[in-house]
């Protein structure tokens, strides 16, 4: 019997250095003096390192087809992927496709979705989404951005998740983690997800968009946390203009790095 594979080592201890100006003063990490070419080269170098740090990065929502992924992504709003994964097996066993879900009893659906929070609103979203799929797409999930974003509760983020992971069409998933990290990296100053997506699309090769999105999100959940980033254990430290917003001591920072089992999969 073979031994289980070791868990990925997300921590990459680095030699401590002085925190950056942005970390010390609270200034924006975006440097308007950095040339577009310089920013692109730095971004791609960091992207390559992210691939080393997070070789196991993937969509953390469980699904077997495009319909399941679409519904799960809509349900993941304001809750964790872990919670959605606990609910969806029962949901899809009872309502395996858009036709079944469109005809679901509201009370029964609310009872299934209750653990995800905001279950009444999510019941409305799930029913509206399924009904739109049945009425306009014969119950099938469309494989085009232009069609997906016309569905109730589906924006570009959700559409890119579905296109990238169910259809193999590259897309950038600009969720909370992604937006926070690319701003910390000094790649953009934009807050609007659509503008963030457009700017990052210019820095990262299109064929890498889906995997790159997973890696950034993994990094945000496991290393570069919102409240206390593990700067001293981050493999991106030497290229990051936000280095020092969290502990720079490798031992202290290393204790902040989360494993997949403990990861905050919001």
């Amino acid at each position: 019997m073979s031994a289980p594979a070791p868990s990925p080592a997300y921590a990459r201890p680095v030699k401590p250095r002085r925190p950056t100006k942005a970390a010390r003063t609270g200034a924006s990490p975006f440097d308007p003096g950095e040339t577009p070419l310089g920013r692109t080269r730095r971004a791609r170098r960091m992207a390559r390192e992210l691939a080393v740090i997070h070789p196991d990065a993937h969509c953390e929502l469980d699904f077997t087809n495009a319909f399941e992924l679409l519904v799960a992504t809509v349900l993941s709003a304001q809750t964790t992927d872990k919670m959605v994964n606990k609910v969806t097996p029962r949901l899809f066993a009872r309502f395996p496709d858009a036709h079944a879900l469109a005809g679901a009893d509201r009370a029964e659906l609310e009872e299934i979705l209750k653990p995800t929070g905001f279950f009444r609103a999510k019941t409305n979203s799930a029913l509206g989404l399924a009904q739109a799929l049945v009425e306009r797409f014969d119950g099938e999930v469309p494989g085009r951005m232009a069609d997906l974003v016309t569905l109730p509760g589906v924006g570009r983020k959700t559409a890119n998740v579905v296109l990238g992971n169910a259809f193999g069409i590259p897309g950038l998933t600009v969720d909370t983690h992604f937006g926070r990290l690319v701003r910390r990296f000094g790649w953009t100053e934009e807050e609007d997800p659509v503008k963030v997506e457009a700017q990052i699309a210019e820095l990262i090769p299109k064929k890498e968009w889906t995997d790159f999105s997973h890696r950034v999100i993994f990094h945000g959940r496991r290393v570069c946390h919102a409240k206390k980033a593990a700067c001293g254990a981050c493999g991106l430290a030497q290229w990051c203009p936000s280095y020092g917003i969290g502990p720079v001591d490798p031992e202290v920072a290393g204790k902040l790095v989360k494993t997949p089992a403990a990861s905050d999969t919001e």
Side-chain angles (χ1 to χ4, degrees):
M1 183 175 178
S2 62
S7 297
Y10 300 125
R12 293 287 189 274
V14 295
K15 184 178 179 180
R17 60 184 175 86
R18 190 184 186 206
T20 64
K21 180 180 179 181
R24 297 194 312 270
T25 67
S28 171
F30 183 84
D31 178 7
E34 184 176 31
T35 66
L37 178 59
R39 186 172 297 114
T40 298
R41 286 176 171 170
R42 183 169 62 86
R44 294 188 179 187
R45 181 64 187 84
M46 293 173 76
R48 290 195 296 272
E49 186 66 22
L50 280 171
V52 173
I53 298 171
H54 304 288
D56 58 332
H58 62 278
C59 177
E60 294 190 284
L61 288 169
D62 295 337
F63 68 97
T64 63
N65 56 50
F67 170 72
E68 291 184 0
L69 180 57
L70 177 60
V71 173
T73 306
V74 170
L75 294 179
S76 69
Q78 296 176 297
T79 191
T80 64
D81 290 354
K82 287 181 180 179
M83 178 55 69
V84 174
N85 290 339
K86 290 179 180 179
V87 168
T88 49
R90 181 184 175 192
L91 174 67
F92 297 134
R94 183 70 181 86
F95 308 109
D97 54 37
H99 291 279
L101 185 57
D105 175 76
R106 178 178 293 275
E108 180 183 6
L109 190 54
E110 286 185 353
E111 194 273 329
I112 293 174
L113 299 183
K114 194 169 185 177
T116 67
F118 304 96
F119 63 95
R120 292 189 179 87
K122 290 183 179 181
T123 295
N124 289 336
S125 295
L127 287 172
L129 176 60
Q131 289 162 3
L133 286 172
V134 170
E135 292 169 3
R136 292 161 44 203
F137 299 102
D138 297 322
E140 298 296 320
V141 177
R144 296 196 317 149
M145 172 68 74
D147 293 328
L148 283 167
V149 296
T150 67
L151 295 168
V154 178
R156 288 189 63 88
K157 184 196 83 170
T158 296
N160 276 323
V161 170
V162 174
L163 291 173
N165 296 283
F167 292 99
I169 300 172
L172 292 169
T173 303
V174 185
D175 70 353
T176 302
H177 296 290
F178 189 101
R180 182 180 80 247
L181 264 64
V182 296
R183 284 188 288 273
R184 281 182 176 177
F185 295 163
W187 295 359
T188 181
E189 284 188 299
E190 297 292 348
E191 296 283 343
D192 178 78
V194 175
K195 293 180 180 179
V196 170
E197 180 184 345
Q199 286 201 344
I200 305 309
E202 295 180 356
L203 300 176
I204 304 298
K206 184 175 182 178
K207 64 181 181 180
E208 299 177 14
W209 287 353
T210 300
D211 288 339
F212 171 75
S213 296
H214 292 320
R215 292 164 188 156
V216 172
I217 292 168
F218 260 50
H219 203 67
R221 288 173 171 169
R222 290 155 170 76
V223 182
C224 193
H225 311 300
K227 293 183 180 179
K228 188 177 285 188
C231 292
C234 178
L236 305 180
Q238 63 179 298
W239 306 284
C240 182
S242 295
Y243 174 79
I245 60 173
V248 298
D249 180 90
E251 184 175 352
V252 175
K255 294 178 180 178
L256 297 174
V257 177
K258 295 183 178 181
T259 64
S263 175
D264 172 17
T265 53
E266 61 184 68

